[in-house]
Amino acid sequence: MKLSGTQIQELQNLIKSNGVKYYDVQMELLDHFVIALEEETEMSFNNKTKLIFEDFGGKEGLQHIVKEKKHAVTKRFLRYTFNLSKHFFHYQKLF
């Protein structure tokens, strides 16, 4: 089943309305929704969308995905900052 532009827009609005505020996470989830919808041909768009949404765990599941992504980005940023500080305050540069 090939999705139309309006159907993709509906999926994007569904994702946004359930508390996913980061664009990159929205696009990842949208990609997963579109792939799952294009694989299924027997069910209607609305029924399959509801089924996929519930497979993700509903609103709580999407919030959990956002929380995990935020944690991963924060961890990567702190690791980068630590390595930069370690390089800047290297023993040879201090003296």
Side-chain angles (χ1 to χ4, degrees):
M1 161 202 247
K2 182 80 174 160
L3 296 178
S4 68
T6 56
Q7 290 173 328
I8 293 174
Q9 188 63 40
E10 286 179 33
L11 289 173
Q12 197 169 15
N13 290 338
L14 174 72
I15 293 168
K16 280 183 188 178
S17 68
N18 283 292
V20 181
K21 59 184 176 181
Y22 302 112
Y23 183 76
D24 58 334
V25 179
Q26 288 176 6
M27 291 300 109
E28 283 183 37
L29 288 171
L30 181 64
D31 183 48
H32 288 293
F33 270 81
V34 168
I35 289 171
L37 282 167
E38 288 180 347
E39 289 176 355
E40 179 64 40
T41 57
E42 308 244 341
M43 297 177 85
S44 70
F45 173 76
N46 291 334
N47 290 338
K48 185 63 180 176
T49 302
K50 288 177 186 176
L51 183 65
I52 295 168
F53 182 68
E54 290 183 14
D55 284 345
F56 273 103
K59 186 172 184 172
E60 292 82 22
L62 293 180
Q63 290 297 320
H64 183 70
I65 291 170
V66 170
K67 185 178 175 182
E68 286 180 357
K69 181 70 171 182
K70 189 174 181 179
H71 178 70
V73 169
T74 303
K75 186 176 178 180
R76 190 174 12 185
F77 173 75
L78 291 175
R79 186 178 311 131
Y80 175 75
T81 304
F82 175 73
N83 287 336
L84 186 64
S85 300
K86 188 170 74 172
H87 179 72
F88 182 75
F89 293 111
H90 192 269
Y91 178 73
Q92 292 175 347
K93 288 187 179 184
L94 287 175
F95 296 105

